[in-house]
Amino acid sequence: MTGSPTARADVRTAVLDFVAREPHTTAELRARVDGDPATIEDVLQRLSTEEALRKKAGPDGTTIWWRETETPADQAQDQVQFEELVQAVSDYAIFLITPDGTVQTWNEGAKQLKGYDADEIVGNHFSAFYTAEDRANRRPSRNLATAARDGCVEDEGWRVHKDGSRFWARVTITPIRDEDGTVRGFTKVTRDLTERHEYERTIERERERLELLNRTIRHDILNGLNVVNVETQTARTRLDEDHPVNEHLDVIRDRVDDLTALIETMRELMSVLETDGSKELEPMSLTDTLQEKLDLLERSYSSIEVTSRGLDEVPSAVLADGLLGRVFENILTNAVVHNDTDR
């Protein structure tokens, strides 16, 4: 041992301070640390033995020293805390598998999701969680190969509980590599998305029904109304202007127009539902949209007088889509068409 205890302590503090900021060669440390070369060399070797410093051979035979941000003791403590956290997670199945797919660890979430106790599944191949069809298609081994090649693989599909029942899973597999880049195993995280999957399937079935209804309205009902409209116009031209039937023909045409407008509104609404359940909303002026429909009402019905009150009290803008104007138009038109007073 070289140097006094005080000198060695000072050298140790200085060395750790310098290498914590950036790696240094032995020559650089000798030039920057206040102490004799023998003491510095002795301190460096002891710090390396204690694993407080790391070293590697540099160019031209030099030795490069650096300090990891965490000591082995710190890393061990972090590992314990991480493992305790993983074990406590119940919403996700999180476990380790070997490079060939053998289950190594098991957490509470895996037990709840898949139904196996740790002593029942650890040591078995993870392909037990896949369907027979997926196993026949080598999906488990293909997922491991893709994860090793690409650094991660995400997969969704049916998986199997211990009792044989199925659930829809989202799986993430990530390789664990050593310092040389060799795959030492994989982490596998699985989440049960069965409820979401069933909901999406239900939405898709409803969307298909709406699409069928939309086609029926578009091709059958609207075409039928167009035929009625053409026939009433033809009959109207063949009758004298004062023929009493004309009044009934006008009523039929008005009702056809009302039904056509209503069907167009229904088609717009179903188009919204067919896409993704909603249209993109954007700020729209409530007063401008309403005033536009009031002006249209006056032009369409010359015999009426339209007055409005309180428009300056409504919100200046709302989040809406193109159906907003159609809603106002239908309300106002119905108010006129179905008004049973003379006012």
Side-chain angles (χ1 to χ4, degrees), residues 268-269 272-273 275-285 317-325 327:
E268 288 186 23
L269 178 59
V272 170
L273 299 176
T275 52
D276 61 356
S278 63
K279 273 189 175 181
E280 194 70 27
L281 301 182
E282 58 183 20
M284 296 185 65
S285 172
V318 294
L319 287 176
D321 54 36
L323 289 176
L324 179 63
V327 169

Side-chain angles (χ1 to χ4, degrees), residues 269-302:
L269 178 59
M270 283 188 289
S271 295
V272 170
L273 299 176
E274 281 178 30
T275 52
D276 61 356
S278 63
K279 273 189 175 181
E280 194 70 27
L281 301 182
E282 58 183 20
M284 296 185 65
S285 172
L286 199 60
T287 54
D288 290 349
T289 304
L290 180 55
Q291 188 60 56
E292 177 186 344
K293 297 306 176 182
L294 289 172
D295 295 340
L296 175 63
L297 191 69
E298 282 193 302
R299 293 194 300 271
S300 302
Y301 299 92
S302 56

Side-chain angles (χ1 to χ4, degrees), residues 169-187:
R170 172 180 289 170
V171 177
T172 302
I173 302 176
T174 307
I176 302 171
R177 300 180 184 273
D178 61 18
E179 293 180 355
D180 297 328
T182 303
V183 174
R184 296 302 183 186
F186 298 89
T187 60

Side-chain angles (χ1 to χ4, degrees), residues 159-226:
R159 297 294 187 270
V160 182
H161 293 120
K162 175 186 174 182
D163 63 7
S165 60
R166 301 195 309 172
F167 66 100
W168 188 264
R170 172 180 289 170
V171 177
T172 302
I173 302 176
T174 307
I176 302 171
R177 300 180 184 273
D178 61 18
E179 293 180 355
D180 297 328
T182 303
V183 174
R184 296 302 183 186
F186 298 89
T187 60
K188 189 169 183 288
V189 180
T190 305
R191 186 180 183 188
D192 185 355
L193 296 181
T194 305
E195 289 186 5
R196 192 207 68 177
H197 181 66
E198 291 300 324
Y199 173 75
E200 290 175 348
R201 291 180 62 189
T202 300
I203 292 297
E204 183 60 31
R205 287 194 293 268
E206 293 302 320
R207 184 177 292 122
E208 291 172 356
R209 293 191 183 102
L210 286 171
E211 185 178 356
L212 176 61
L213 179 58
N214 204 354
R215 288 199 302 267
T216 301
I217 290 175
R218 183 167 58 248
H219 295 296
D220 298 343
I221 299 179
L222 274 181
N223 286 344
L225 289 174
N226 287 335

